[in-house]
């Protein structure tokens, strides 16, 4: 069985991909499958593994033997499910592999902003601390998470883990169901406007859908507390970047921590690049999902998806 493994540059050159060699004849590419290279790369391939490659009808036309696409991810919008259905190709994703990694990064972003970490680190390294007479510096006050209201958008696996951690820090957790279908009863569920008005911190853990695209726009920022911090580790397009820029520069909210943008890589003309104050805006390059442990779990889960498919089992198939 011929297997093509693409997008390894998105998953990491430090990973050991040889676990897939046990499944069949594997060919590896560090870049994406495209309309231009599909015919050459996918000839006779039955399984394709991808992370960010955008699957088109042209790619599928060039791969008549293709039967299964495995995502190195939970999201599968790049797989073009309608096109895959037309060509009789199944798509399998992986779930739950990055929960701990994303939850951890959520609080990494939050506490960097809450405690003005860059400011104080630079203060010490500049030599100013060594040259002052008193033992501390408190020129920018910071607050505790204890006693604050922590709002969550999207109460899936990651949202629940974040809620658990926020609760351990003493925060009161409320959430808005992005799908409208949440069955979670462990935390207070509220409507969107109430989440905006009550929350001191809001973190986003929802998928990108028609319901959530530009959910955080000018109207939403106008309803948030001026001391609120927004954390987005979901999808970039859930937040309007222009409206976020306006909210931050106009003082509508205190700060934002982002791990996702729209598009990715970041647009060269993104208004957010104008904000150089890391106490107001902290951005990381879509890395929340990618702890070493999470990426290893991801590869192992993809392997299990292929093994199950070989046995006729529909493990994690998203278009059954």
């Amino acid at each position: 069985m011929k297997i093509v493994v693409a997008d390894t540059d998105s998953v990491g050159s430090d990973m050991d991909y040889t676990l897939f060699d046990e499944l069949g004849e594997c060919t590896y590419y560090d870049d994406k499958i495209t309309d231009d290279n599909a015919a050459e790369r996918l000839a006779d391939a039955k399984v394709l593994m991808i992370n960010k490659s955008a699957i088109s009808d042209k790619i599928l036309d060039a791969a008549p033997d293709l039967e299964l696409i495995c995502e190195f991810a939970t999201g599968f919008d790049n797989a073009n499910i309608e096109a895959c259905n037309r060509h009789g190709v199944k798509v399998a994703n992986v779930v739950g592999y990055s929960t701990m990694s994303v939850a951890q990064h959520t609080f990494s972003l939050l506490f960097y902003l809450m405690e003005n970490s860059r400011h104080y680190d630079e203060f010490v390294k500049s030599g100013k601390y060594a040259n002052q007479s008193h033992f501390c510096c408190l020129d920018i006050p910071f607050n505790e998470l204890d006693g604050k209201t922590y709002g969550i958008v999207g109460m899936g696996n990651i949202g629940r883990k974040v809620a658990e951690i926020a609760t351990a820090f003493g925060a009161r957790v409320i959430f808005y169901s992005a799908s409208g279908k949440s069955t979670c009863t462990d935390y207070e569920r509220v409507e969107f406007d109430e989440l905006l008005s009550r929350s001191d911190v809001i973190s986003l853990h929802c998928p990108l859908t028609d319901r959530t695209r530009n959910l955080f726009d000018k109207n939403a920022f106008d309803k948030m507390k001026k001391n609120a911090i927004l954390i987005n580790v979901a999808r970039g397009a859930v937040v309007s970047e222009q409206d976020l820029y306006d909210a931050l520069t106009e003082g509508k909210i205190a700060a934002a921590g982002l791990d996702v943008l729209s598009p990715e890589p970041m647009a060269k003309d993104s208004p957010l690049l104008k904000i150089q104050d890391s106490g107001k805006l902290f951005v990381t390059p879509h890395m929340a999902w990618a702890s070493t442990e999470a990426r290893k779990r991801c590869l192992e889960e993809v392997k299990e998806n292929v093994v199950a498919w070989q046995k006729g089992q529909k493990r994690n198939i998203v278009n059954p």
Side-chain angles (χ1 to χ4, degrees):
M1 180 175 69
K2 184 174 179 180
I3 300 170
V4 173
V5 183
D7 292 343
T8 59
D9 61 348
S10 293
V11 183
S13 59
D14 59 325
M15 292 289 103
D16 181 5
Y17 297 94
T18 59
L19 78 166
F20 298 128
D21 293 337
E22 302 171 13
L23 302 173
E25 178 189 345
C26 294
T27 305
Y28 298 90
Y29 298 99
D30 58 5
D31 57 350
K32 298 174 183 175
I33 299 296
T34 67
D35 289 353
D36 294 331
N37 64 33
E40 176 187 355
R41 294 185 176 185
L42 299 181
D44 304 321
K46 285 195 173 183
V47 177
L48 171 62
M49 300 178 185
I50 59 173
N51 182 260
K52 292 298 181 184
S53 293
I55 301 303
S56 65
D57 275 301
K58 187 173 181 179
I59 287 175
L60 295 170
D61 286 338
D65 295 320
L66 192 64
E67 298 180 10
L68 178 69
I69 294 175
C70 289
E71 293 273 8
F72 291 119
T74 301
F76 50 86
D77 51 298
N78 62 312
N80 194 336
I81 297 300
E82 291 183 1
C84 288
N85 287 340
R86 287 194 295 271
H87 288 79
V89 176
K90 299 300 182 184
V91 178
N93 70 342
V94 288
V95 296
Y97 73 96
S98 65
T99 298
M100 294 306 301
S101 183
V102 177
Q104 176 175 298
H105 196 73
T106 298
F107 288 93
S108 174
L109 294 171
L110 175 61
F111 291 137
Y112 181 94
L113 292 166
M114 282 190 73
E115 299 200 1
N116 297 289
S117 296
R118 179 173 178 174
H119 168 77
Y120 286 111
D121 180 56
E122 291 179 346
F123 171 78
V124 172
K125 290 176 179 175
S126 71
K128 293 179 181 178
Y129 182 46
N131 287 304
Q132 71 177 28
S133 59
H134 52 288
F135 81 98
C136 69
C137 174
L138 298 171
D139 56 344
I140 301 180
F142 67 97
N143 302 106
E144 297 176 353
L145 187 55
D146 180 62
K148 302 296 187 295
T149 298
Y150 194 113
I152 293 175
V153 178
M155 192 59 83
N157 290 336
I158 296 172
R160 286 173 181 263
K161 178 54 65 175
V162 168
E164 179 184 326
I165 296 170
T167 300
F169 274 104
R172 297 182 296 271
V173 172
I174 61 176
F175 77 98
Y176 167 69
S177 174
S179 67
K181 300 176 182 178
S182 176
T183 59
C184 178
T185 57
D186 296 327
Y187 305 98
E188 182 185 358
R189 178 174 170 177
V190 298
E191 293 303 317
F192 186 54
D193 283 357
E194 184 174 353
L195 181 105
L196 296 173
S197 64
R198 287 177 56 187
S199 298
D200 299 294
V201 177
I202 298 177
S203 62
L204 312 184
H205 310 284
C206 55
L208 178 61
T209 65
D210 290 340
R211 185 183 175 99
T212 61
R213 186 178 298 276
N214 290 323
L215 181 65
F216 280 78
D217 59 5
K218 179 182 183 302
N219 185 52
F221 292 123
D222 285 344
K223 296 175 181 178
M224 290 174 63
K225 293 182 177 181
K226 290 187 180 299
N227 68 331
I229 297 174
L230 176 71
I231 305 293
N232 187 10
V233 292
R235 287 291 183 267
V238 176
V239 177
S240 165
E241 290 187 8
Q242 181 62 57
D243 290 349
L244 175 59
Y245 169 81
D246 293 340
L248 289 170
T249 56
E250 295 171 14
K252 293 180 180 178
I253 65 172
L258 310 177
D259 184 58
V260 288
L261 297 153
S262 182
E264 293 174 341
M266 188 179 196
K268 294 179 181 179
D269 61 351
S270 171
L272 298 179
L273 286 172
K274 300 175 186 178
I275 301 177
Q276 295 296 304
D277 180 358
S278 293
K280 185 176 292 291
L281 177 66
F282 181 30
V283 185
T284 54
H286 203 148
M287 57 182 282
W289 65 281
S291 68
T292 300
E293 295 85 354
R295 287 180 291 133
K296 286 180 178 178
R297 287 192 293 267
C298 181
L299 297 187
E300 290 163 358
E301 284 293 301
V302 168
K303 180 181 179 181
E304 290 304 313
N305 284 343
V306 177
V307 170
W309 173 76
Q310 289 175 319
K311 295 178 180 178
Q313 302 169 359
K314 296 182 177 180
R315 185 179 193 267
N316 292 328
I317 298 296
V318 299
N319 59 336

